[in-house]
PDB file of all heavy atoms in Angstrom:
ATOM      1  N   ASN E  33      89.229  86.627 109.922  1.00  0.00           N
ATOM      2  CA  ASN E  33      87.887  86.928 109.544  1.00  0.00           C
ATOM      3  C   ASN E  33      86.915  86.316 110.471  1.00  0.00           C
ATOM      4  O   ASN E  33      86.017  87.051 110.859  1.00  0.00           O
ATOM      5  CB  ASN E  33      87.626  86.493 108.106  1.00  0.00           C
ATOM      6  CG  ASN E  33      88.002  87.590 107.114  1.00  0.00           C
ATOM      7  OD1 ASN E  33      87.741  88.721 107.310  1.00  0.00           O
ATOM      8  ND2 ASN E  33      88.607  87.168 105.953  1.00  0.00           N
ATOM      9  N   GLU E  34      87.146  85.051 110.861  1.00  0.00           N
ATOM     10  CA  GLU E  34      86.256  84.415 111.793  1.00  0.00           C
ATOM     11  C   GLU E  34      86.150  85.235 113.054  1.00  0.00           C
ATOM     12  O   GLU E  34      85.109  85.380 113.648  1.00  0.00           O
ATOM     13  CB  GLU E  34      86.584  82.989 112.092  1.00  0.00           C
ATOM     14  CG  GLU E  34      86.055  82.070 110.900  1.00  0.00           C
ATOM     15  CD  GLU E  34      86.639  80.635 111.111  1.00  0.00           C
ATOM     16  OE1 GLU E  34      87.320  80.282 112.103  1.00  0.00           O
ATOM     17  OE2 GLU E  34      86.542  79.853 110.135  1.00  0.00           O
ATOM     18  N   ILE E  35      87.347  85.456 113.630  1.00  0.00           N
ATOM     19  CA  ILE E  35      87.411  86.039 114.923  1.00  0.00           C
ATOM     20  C   ILE E  35      86.825  87.511 115.004  1.00  0.00           C
ATOM     21  O   ILE E  35      86.020  87.843 115.845  1.00  0.00           O
ATOM     22  CB  ILE E  35      88.906  86.151 115.461  1.00  0.00           C
ATOM     23  CG1 ILE E  35      89.446  84.780 115.613  1.00  0.00           C
ATOM     24  CG2 ILE E  35      89.037  86.932 116.779  1.00  0.00           C
ATOM     25  CD1 ILE E  35      91.006  84.723 115.971  1.00  0.00           C
ATOM     26  N   ALA E  36      87.169  88.197 113.921  1.00  0.00           N
ATOM     27  CA  ALA E  36      86.612  89.692 113.778  1.00  0.00           C
ATOM     28  C   ALA E  36      85.044  89.572 113.729  1.00  0.00           C
ATOM     29  O   ALA E  36      84.378  90.334 114.463  1.00  0.00           O
ATOM     30  CB  ALA E  36      87.125  90.359 112.571  1.00  0.00           C
ATOM     31  N   GLN E  37      84.524  88.618 112.901  1.00  0.00           N
ATOM     32  CA  GLN E  37      83.045  88.447 112.773  1.00  0.00           C
ATOM     33  C   GLN E  37      82.453  88.104 114.112  1.00  0.00           C
ATOM     34  O   GLN E  37      81.411  88.710 114.483  1.00  0.00           O
ATOM     35  CB  GLN E  37      82.826  87.470 111.696  1.00  0.00           C
ATOM     36  CG  GLN E  37      81.305  87.365 111.286  1.00  0.00           C
ATOM     37  CD  GLN E  37      80.880  88.796 110.685  1.00  0.00           C
ATOM     38  OE1 GLN E  37      81.522  89.385 109.821  1.00  0.00           O
ATOM     39  NE2 GLN E  37      79.809  89.381 111.184  1.00  0.00           N
ATOM     40  N   ALA E  38      83.007  87.093 114.765  1.00  0.00           N
ATOM     41  CA  ALA E  38      82.435  86.650 116.011  1.00  0.00           C
ATOM     42  C   ALA E  38      82.540  87.705 117.071  1.00  0.00           C
ATOM     43  O   ALA E  38      81.623  87.883 117.941  1.00  0.00           O
ATOM     44  CB  ALA E  38      83.308  85.383 116.485  1.00  0.00           C
ATOM     45  N   SER E  39      83.574  88.551 117.076  1.00  0.00           N
ATOM     46  CA  SER E  39      83.695  89.534 118.046  1.00  0.00           C
ATOM     47  C   SER E  39      82.695  90.664 117.799  1.00  0.00           C
ATOM     48  O   SER E  39      82.149  91.224 118.692  1.00  0.00           O
ATOM     49  CB  SER E  39      85.168  90.204 117.999  1.00  0.00           C
ATOM     50  OG  SER E  39      86.086  89.172 118.138  1.00  0.00           O
ATOM     51  N   PHE E  40      82.571  91.036 116.530  1.00  0.00           N
ATOM     52  CA  PHE E  40      81.605  92.014 116.107  1.00  0.00           C
ATOM     53  C   PHE E  40      80.170  91.568 116.592  1.00  0.00           C
ATOM     54  O   PHE E  40      79.434  92.344 117.257  1.00  0.00           O
ATOM     55  CB  PHE E  40      81.531  92.364 114.689  1.00  0.00           C
ATOM     56  CG  PHE E  40      80.500  93.259 114.273  1.00  0.00           C
ATOM     57  CD1 PHE E  40      80.697  94.757 114.435  1.00  0.00           C
ATOM     58  CD2 PHE E  40      79.216  92.930 113.781  1.00  0.00           C
ATOM     59  CE1 PHE E  40      79.772  95.579 114.068  1.00  0.00           C
ATOM     60  CE2 PHE E  40      78.204  93.838 113.453  1.00  0.00           C
ATOM     61  CZ  PHE E  40      78.494  95.176 113.603  1.00  0.00           C
ATOM     62  N   ASN E  41      79.819  90.278 116.358  1.00  0.00           N
ATOM     63  CA  ASN E  41      78.522  89.735 116.655  1.00  0.00           C
ATOM     64  C   ASN E  41      78.309  89.805 118.231  1.00  0.00           C
ATOM     65  O   ASN E  41      77.244  90.204 118.719  1.00  0.00           O
ATOM     66  CB  ASN E  41      78.413  88.387 116.234  1.00  0.00           C
ATOM     67  CG  ASN E  41      78.246  88.167 114.734  1.00  0.00           C
ATOM     68  OD1 ASN E  41      78.013  89.307 114.064  1.00  0.00           O
ATOM     69  ND2 ASN E  41      78.417  87.089 114.212  1.00  0.00           N
ATOM     70  N   GLU E  42      79.414  89.466 118.954  1.00  0.00           N
ATOM     71  CA  GLU E  42      79.264  89.458 120.420  1.00  0.00           C
ATOM     72  C   GLU E  42      79.054  90.892 120.987  1.00  0.00           C
ATOM     73  O   GLU E  42      78.103  91.046 121.791  1.00  0.00           O
ATOM     74  CB  GLU E  42      80.625  88.909 120.976  1.00  0.00           C
ATOM     75  CG  GLU E  42      80.584  88.647 122.499  1.00  0.00           C
ATOM     76  CD  GLU E  42      79.743  87.489 122.983  1.00  0.00           C
ATOM     77  OE1 GLU E  42      79.448  86.653 122.095  1.00  0.00           O
ATOM     78  OE2 GLU E  42      79.323  87.520 124.121  1.00  0.00           O
ATOM     79  N   LEU E  43      79.834  91.830 120.486  1.00  0.00           N
ATOM     80  CA  LEU E  43      79.674  93.127 121.014  1.00  0.00           C
ATOM     81  C   LEU E  43      78.308  93.809 120.564  1.00  0.00           C
ATOM     82  O   LEU E  43      77.639  94.345 121.376  1.00  0.00           O
ATOM     83  CB  LEU E  43      80.755  94.094 120.452  1.00  0.00           C
ATOM     84  CG  LEU E  43      82.166  93.988 121.045  1.00  0.00           C
ATOM     85  CD1 LEU E  43      83.123  94.834 120.283  1.00  0.00           C
ATOM     86  CD2 LEU E  43      82.153  94.436 122.511  1.00  0.00           C
ATOM     87  N   SER E  44      77.936  93.476 119.344  1.00  0.00           N
ATOM     88  CA  SER E  44      76.693  94.108 118.756  1.00  0.00           C
ATOM     89  C   SER E  44      75.495  93.489 119.493  1.00  0.00           C
ATOM     90  O   SER E  44      74.526  94.253 119.883  1.00  0.00           O
ATOM     91  CB  SER E  44      76.644  93.678 117.291  1.00  0.00           C
ATOM     92  OG  SER E  44      75.671  94.368 116.724  1.00  0.00           O
ATOM     93  N   THR E  45      75.424  92.161 119.816  1.00  0.00           N
ATOM     94  CA  THR E  45      74.393  91.529 120.467  1.00  0.00           C
ATOM     95  C   THR E  45      74.185  92.091 121.897  1.00  0.00           C
ATOM     96  O   THR E  45      73.078  92.467 122.280  1.00  0.00           O
ATOM     97  CB  THR E  45      74.566  89.937 120.649  1.00  0.00           C
ATOM     98  OG1 THR E  45      74.924  89.545 119.371  1.00  0.00           O
ATOM     99  CG2 THR E  45      73.357  89.281 121.058  1.00  0.00           C
ATOM    100  N   ASN E  46      75.333  92.227 122.623  1.00  0.00           N
ATOM    101  CA  ASN E  46      75.236  92.850 123.909  1.00  0.00           C
ATOM    102  C   ASN E  46      74.728  94.259 123.906  1.00  0.00           C
ATOM    103  O   ASN E  46      73.881  94.671 124.741  1.00  0.00           O
ATOM    104  CB  ASN E  46      76.669  92.804 124.553  1.00  0.00           C
ATOM    105  CG  ASN E  46      76.940  91.471 125.205  1.00  0.00           C
ATOM    106  OD1 ASN E  46      76.371  91.185 126.254  1.00  0.00           O
ATOM    107  ND2 ASN E  46      77.800  90.679 124.550  1.00  0.00           N
ATOM    108  N   LEU E  47      75.304  94.996 122.908  1.00  0.00           N
ATOM    109  CA  LEU E  47      74.953  96.484 122.848  1.00  0.00           C
ATOM    110  C   LEU E  47      73.359  96.530 122.548  1.00  0.00           C
ATOM    111  O   LEU E  47      72.706  97.337 123.201  1.00  0.00           O
ATOM    112  CB  LEU E  47      75.703  97.059 121.775  1.00  0.00           C
ATOM    113  CG  LEU E  47      75.482  98.516 121.478  1.00  0.00           C
ATOM    114  CD1 LEU E  47      76.071  99.359 122.660  1.00  0.00           C
ATOM    115  CD2 LEU E  47      76.201  98.994 120.231  1.00  0.00           C
TER     116      LEU E  47
END
Side-chain angles (χ1 to χ4, degrees):
N33 271 317
E34 275 171 13
I35 297 174
Q37 192 60 51
S39 305
F40 177 81
N41 290 346
E42 186 70 24
L43 283 175
S44 190
T45 309
N46 275 286
L47 182 68

